[in-house]
């Protein structure tokens, strides 16, 4: 149990375009979902926390107008990278948790390359 | 900013040896968790230790927590080539968020 999927697993796009990444909890209802970014050989940096039906809370330094997060249901959250630039190229990982468990369950990640 | 600091940054051992990784943090925590990440993949949850616990075991894994020193260690016994991965500690400081350490890259040679 506790499986989280992400789609797509990798994406290449041109500079200036927008990219949407989906995060789904497949076998549980996720009251909270998290979005992380990981640059090569570095650790995970939390970008934002989203609760179903409410606005996401962004970490300091993360532009909310550039990284749009929607958590429309208890099993789906989306991250849209708007007007992507090469410096947005990274590995984006989501995680999901329920209120009654302390553990976050992570998706397999999405590798974004902006040309 | 990252709260957790891990050492060593990289560790290379022979199959069958034990691997020990350390993690230090700065603030009070609710729990501390260890994750494994294979190259280019998502994270796999290994073990969670609460602030009122001192030691926890899971299979070949042993985790200790010293809240007075704000540090934790992860011991992998009888390592296997399949244990080759990056290992991260992450602290939950009562805010529902995890703050990850820099990670330790473990290479187990067969």
């Amino acid at each position: 149990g506790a499986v989280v999927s992400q789609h797509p697993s990798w994406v290449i796009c041109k500079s200036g375009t927008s990219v949407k990444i989906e995060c789904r909890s497949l076998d549980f209802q996720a009251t909270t979902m998290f979005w992380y970014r990981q640059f090569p050989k570095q650790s995970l940096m939390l970008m934002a926390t989203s609760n179903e039906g409410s606005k996401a809370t962004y970490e300091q330094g993360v532009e909310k107008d550039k990284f749009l997060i929607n958590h429309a249901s208890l099993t789906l959250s989306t991250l849209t990278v708007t007007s992507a630039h090469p410096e947005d190229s990274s590995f984006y990982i989501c995680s999901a948790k329920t209120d009654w468990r302390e553990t976050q369950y992570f998706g397999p990640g999405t590798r974004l390359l902006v040309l | 900013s990252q709260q957790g600091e891990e050492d060593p940054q990289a560790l290379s051992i022979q199959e069958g040896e034990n691997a020990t990784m350390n993690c230090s943090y700065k603030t009070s925590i609710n729990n501390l968790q260890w994750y494994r990440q294979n190259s280019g993949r998502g994270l796999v949850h290994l073990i969670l230790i609460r602030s009122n616990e001192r030691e926890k075991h899971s299979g070949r894994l042993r985790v200790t927590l010293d809240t007075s020193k704000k540090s934790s260690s992860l011991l992998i016994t009888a390592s296997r080539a399949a244990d080759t991965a990056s290992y991260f500690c992450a602290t939950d400081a009562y805010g529902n968020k995890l703050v990850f350490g820099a990670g330790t890259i473990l290479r187990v040679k067969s």
Side-chain angles (χ1 to χ4, degrees):
Chain A
V3 178
V4 176
S5 70
Q6 277 184 245
H7 178 79
S9 55
W10 60 270
V11 57
I12 302 173
C13 68
K14 292 182 178 180
S15 186
T17 61
S18 294
V19 175
K20 180 185 282 190
I21 302 170
E22 291 186 349
C23 176
R24 293 181 185 272
S25 56
L26 299 184
D27 51 4
F28 68 101
Q29 292 186 325
T31 48
T32 307
M33 286 186 168
F34 304 85
W35 286 96
Y36 297 84
R37 182 167 52 184
Q38 184 180 32
F39 291 107
K41 300 190 186 304
Q42 294 188 23
S43 188
L44 280 73
M45 295 292 293
L46 179 66
M47 298 175 67
T49 302
S50 76
N51 292 292
E52 185 263 340
S54 59
K55 289 184 179 180
T57 302
Y58 290 81
E59 294 299 299
Q60 193 173 8
V62 178
E63 300 173 59
K64 62 180 181 180
D65 294 329
K66 180 169 183 61
F67 299 99
L68 301 179
I69 292 172
N70 184 282
H71 192 164
S73 77
L74 285 172
T75 59
L76 173 65
S77 175
T78 60
L79 167 68
T80 301
V81 183
T82 62
S83 187
H85 289 97
E87 57 265 30
D88 298 323
S89 298
S90 188
F91 193 53
Y92 292 87
I93 307 176
C94 73
S95 70
K97 74 181 295 290
T98 64
D99 281 342
W100 48 273
R101 290 203 69 176
E102 295 165 293
T103 303
Q104 290 185 25
Y105 298 96
F106 284 79
T110 296
R111 191 163 301 282
L112 170 64
L113 177 60
V114 184
L115 301 176
Chain B
S1 63
Q2 288 295 310
Q3 173 170 242
E5 298 291 333
E6 292 176 68
D7 76 273
Q9 290 185 333
L11 181 61
S12 183
I13 59 175
Q14 290 293 135
E15 204 166 28
E17 294 180 340
N18 295 342
T20 299
M21 289 160 265
N22 302 296
C23 168
S24 61
Y25 56 93
K26 296 176 182 174
T27 65
S28 296
I29 61 171
N30 180 40
N31 64 65
L32 185 145
Q33 304 176 37
W34 285 90
Y35 288 84
R36 183 185 74 223
Q37 183 181 35
N38 290 89
S39 181
R41 307 289 294 274
L43 272 70
V44 174
H45 183 261
L46 296 176
I47 198 164
L48 180 154
I49 186 165
R50 293 187 175 83
S51 60
N52 62 353
E53 298 176 309
R54 292 297 166 258
E55 188 172 310
K56 208 161 182 180
H57 296 254
S58 176
R60 293 184 296 113
L61 306 180
R62 174 177 168 255
V63 168
T64 63
L65 179 65
D66 187 335
T67 53
S68 66
K69 295 181 180 178
K70 291 186 169 60
S71 67
S72 174
S73 68
L74 170 67
L75 168 67
I76 303 174
T77 60
S79 63
R80 305 166 181 167
D83 294 329
T84 294
S86 293
Y87 290 82
F88 295 94
C89 69
T91 52
D92 175 352
Y94 302 98
N96 202 36
K97 300 189 296 187
L98 289 180
V99 178
F100 282 83
T104 294
I105 300 171
L106 172 66
R107 182 183 170 211
V108 181
K109 295 176 283 187
S110 56

